Amino acid sequence: MCIRDRVTIDQIKALRDRTGAGIMDCKKALLEVDGDIEKAIDVLREKGIAKAASKAGRVAAEGLTNIKVCDACHKAVIVEVNCETDFVSSSDKFHDLVAQVTDVLLKNCPATLEEATELTKDLFADATIAMGEKFVLRRYEILSAAEGQAFGAYSHMQGKISGLVLLSKDGGDLNKALAMTVVANNPSYLTITDVPEDVRARETKIAQTEVSEDPKLASKPDAVKANIVVRKVDKVLSSSCLDVQPYVYDENKTVGQVLKENGVELLKFVRYAVGEGIEKKASEE
């Protein structure tokens, strides 16, 4: 396949990181110059699309999360938009930008981040001119509710952390309380059956090593050791599962117990915390 017919995601990402240009602009530039990143930078600069290198190279690890629920269309969106400084993230202009981005995503329901970035590129370009920082639509997720289902939403620390839940039915005040619980507990999975096999395999290997090296278990039959490994793995993994974590309004009850008492099933949850997983530079020029 000719390179003019395809460029890789890594090439696009590298060009975007260096120029701050949109995904589609980077892709078009790379296709134009047979995938040569340095030449693609020149193309973007000539078109006035590339930002100054000193600005584009900065890490956008501050920002806001936001949630919007549309009861009429039975959809909800959770978004994270990043900027460079906490000062800008607390400004009215940035809050307005995040609100506009949220509205665009909920209205258009893009299927991919690339599509979402293309939809919002003009908003980000205008924001960079107005506020002088690099802005990034880092991630988003759109949830759809079937008839009778309901959303619960909660944002903490003025949008630094947000949680969105989809419930089997409207639980009234419980809706928000469950979203608050997701924000507070930071679960990785809904139940232990949702844990991916590779994660369980990794924990199993660790537990097997612990059991095999424990002198107190040396004389135990293999079947007993195997059961001990399973219990160890389940104990570690359960700490990351929402259904066995404490409920925010009554820590003596698990989320699973509260759901059962109210006849509600929690179908899905999403939790975003600003900047999680982004490595910040120790200093910037």
Side-chain angles (χ1 to χ4, degrees), residues 232-247:
K232 277 178 168 286
V233 172
D234 284 347
K235 183 178 180 180
V236 170
L237 296 179
S238 292
S239 65
S240 299
C241 297
L242 180 61
D243 68 329
V244 295
Q245 290 179 336
Y247 178 57

Side-chain angles (χ1 to χ4, degrees), residues 9 74 88 115 155-156 166 168 223 233 242 252 264 273 284:
I9 294 298
H74 307 292
V88 164
E115 185 182 343
S155 289
H156 185 56
L166 175 62
S168 61
V233 172
L242 180 61
N252 293 317
V264 177
E284 293 181 343

Side-chain angles (χ1 to χ4, degrees), residues 46-77:
E46 290 167 1
K47 294 180 178 179
I49 296 173
K51 315 294 187 297
S54 61
K55 183 172 297 181
R58 295 175 188 168
V59 176
E62 300 296 336
L64 287 174
T65 62
N66 191 36
I67 296 173
K68 186 168 184 178
V69 175
C70 176
D71 292 322
C73 62
H74 307 292
K75 294 183 183 297
V77 62

Side-chain angles (χ1 to χ4, degrees), residues 33-48:
V33 295
D34 293 343
D36 188 312
I37 290 180
E38 297 301 325
K39 290 181 179 178
I41 291 173
D42 291 341
V43 169
L44 292 172
R45 291 183 64 188
E46 290 167 1
K47 294 180 178 179

